[in-house]
Amino acid sequence: MKRRQLLLSTAAAAATTALPLAVRAQAAWPAKAIRIVVPFTPGGTTDYVTRLVAAEAAKSLGQTIVVENKPGAGTVIGVDSVAKSAPDGYSFVTVANSFCVNATLIKKLPYDTRKDLRPVALMGLSEHVLATHPSSGLKTVADIVSQAKAGKKLSYASFGNGTSAHLAGEMLKTQLGLDIVHVPYKGQAPALADLLGGQVSMMFGNWPEFRSHVQSGKLVAVGMATAARSVYAPDIPTLAEQGLKVESNSWNGLLAPAGVPDDIVQRMNTAVAEAMKAPALAEAFQKGGISAKTGTPAQFAAYIDSEIARYAEVIKKAGITAD
């Protein structure tokens, strides 16, 4: 009898081992720490949002969530590392607008935008402001036009090639008919540092990170890249008020490798939604000027499709290339 029980036990163990990795992980998920890759340098909005959400989501999941920064190649390096990770529910990546831009802008991505990754949850959105260094003398759109036509060499920083800040800068150039040099960085933090140092003329950036610098006078807010005046910065005129049709923002959402089981995706989506309800996170978002966004994985997938189409049109009209 004991021998028979041993044989059955051994057979069951063997059968369990033979199950696909995703199926075995699914049964006990999460049984270990979860990793979320941020494809930007530390200090930017994507990093900030991810760490806030991760801290709260970890509580409801009962496991540690480790945030890993992996910048480079306009977020492609970080995104690709997760696209090629095991589909066991322990690797995710926070993406931003650049994920949708790259689908059109970069001809040979190492991953398939729609097939190799699956949407999990939209998390937050930050409005953009066009800011300059006080020493530049650029306080309005009219000042930018005046200096450029006078022959001054102007430049604009971005979070990297293919990011929303890059496309906003190109839209500005196209609409004004000006030659402004694009200077890409590996994230908002290093780009902002050079703008504060006066190394670049201007930059579209996330209002949460720019607000204190604008309020202290270290930067000048030329205008908000919003359709109407922002509730977070009602005293700052929009670019639309100055004759420009440039609307730009940064959103953040969570993706998983394509093969991750549906129930794990749903559990992570629920954990993110619960995180958004946490008082500490809600207060941090409000103070930071970040709008909390939630929804189902399917809704996020539809949003990604609409963003890919929107940016494809912008790239085509402006003739933007990955410089």
Side-chain angles (χ1 to χ4, degrees):
M1 187 67 180
K2 289 182 178 179
R3 182 172 180 275
R4 183 183 177 189
Q5 289 176 334
L6 177 62
L7 289 173
L8 288 173
S9 177
T10 302
T16 300
T17 304
L19 289 172
L21 177 62
V23 175
R24 282 184 278 142
Q26 183 178 359
W29 190 88
K32 62 180 182 179
I34 297 166
R35 176 184 67 135
I36 298 181
V37 170
V38 172
F40 295 100
T41 53
T45 299
T46 302
D47 185 63
Y48 180 69
V49 168
T50 302
R51 291 179 188 278
L52 284 173
V53 173
E56 294 298 335
K59 296 176 184 177
S60 61
L61 292 172
Q63 277 292 347
T64 301
I65 298 181
V66 179
V67 177
E68 177 186 348
N69 295 89
K70 191 171 286 190
T75 75
V76 172
I77 291 174
V79 173
D80 187 49
S81 71
V82 172
K84 291 181 170 58
S85 295
D88 56 7
Y90 292 99
S91 291
F92 296 84
V93 60
T94 302
V95 296
N97 313 56
S98 51
F99 177 72
C100 297
V101 173
N102 289 341
T104 300
L105 190 63
I106 300 178
K107 302 304 179 185
K108 293 184 179 180
L109 285 169
Y111 56 83
D112 188 298
T113 302
R114 288 186 171 90
K115 294 181 180 179
D116 293 341
L117 294 136
R118 62 179 304 181
V120 177
L122 187 61
M123 299 190 296
L125 184 145
S126 302
E127 298 166 335
H128 280 182
V129 61
L130 174 60
T132 62
H133 191 272
S135 65
S136 69
L138 302 171
K139 297 181 179 181
T140 64
V141 171
D143 291 335
I144 295 173
V145 174
S146 176
Q147 286 198 24
K149 289 186 175 180
K152 185 171 182 179
K153 294 182 179 180
L154 301 178
S155 60
Y156 77 92
S158 79
F159 318 154
N161 288 319
T163 58
S164 52
H166 175 198
L167 264 69
E170 291 300 306
M171 285 189 281
L172 175 79
K173 288 171 54 176
T174 300
Q175 290 186 32
L176 295 179
L178 303 176
D179 182 19
I180 305 175
V181 178
H182 175 218
V183 184
Y185 291 79
K186 290 185 178 181
Q188 179 172 260
L192 177 55
D194 273 8
L195 180 63
L196 287 166
Q199 277 79 40
V200 286
S201 307
M202 67 193 81
M203 176 182 172
F204 281 92
N206 299 319
W207 177 244
E209 278 72 50
F210 281 61
R211 180 171 58 181
S212 63
H213 300 303
V214 170
Q215 292 173 342
S216 67
K218 293 180 180 178
L219 292 178
V220 174
V222 172
M224 298 296 291
T226 51
R229 292 217 177 190
S230 170
V231 296
Y232 298 112
D235 295 333
I236 299 176
T238 66
L239 294 177
E241 290 175 50
Q242 301 176 63
L244 279 177
K245 293 182 180 180
V246 178
E247 293 181 28
S248 185
N249 58 53
S250 289
W251 54 259
N252 298 120
L254 205 62
L255 302 181
V260 173
D262 291 344
D263 66 333
I264 290 180
V265 168
Q266 187 54 56
R267 283 189 66 189
M268 180 58 92
N269 176 276
T270 300
V272 171
E274 287 298 316
M276 294 299 176
K277 299 175 184 177
L281 185 144
E283 182 180 357
F285 269 32
Q286 178 62 32
K287 287 183 177 179
I290 302 168
S291 299
K293 301 293 180 181
T294 58
T296 66
Q299 288 172 330
F300 185 30
Y303 182 74
I304 286 175
D305 285 342
S306 68
E307 285 287 275
I308 289 174
R310 182 170 76 92
Y311 283 121
E313 184 177 357
V314 171
I315 290 167
K316 183 179 180 180
K317 284 185 177 180
I320 300 169
T321 59
D323 48 21

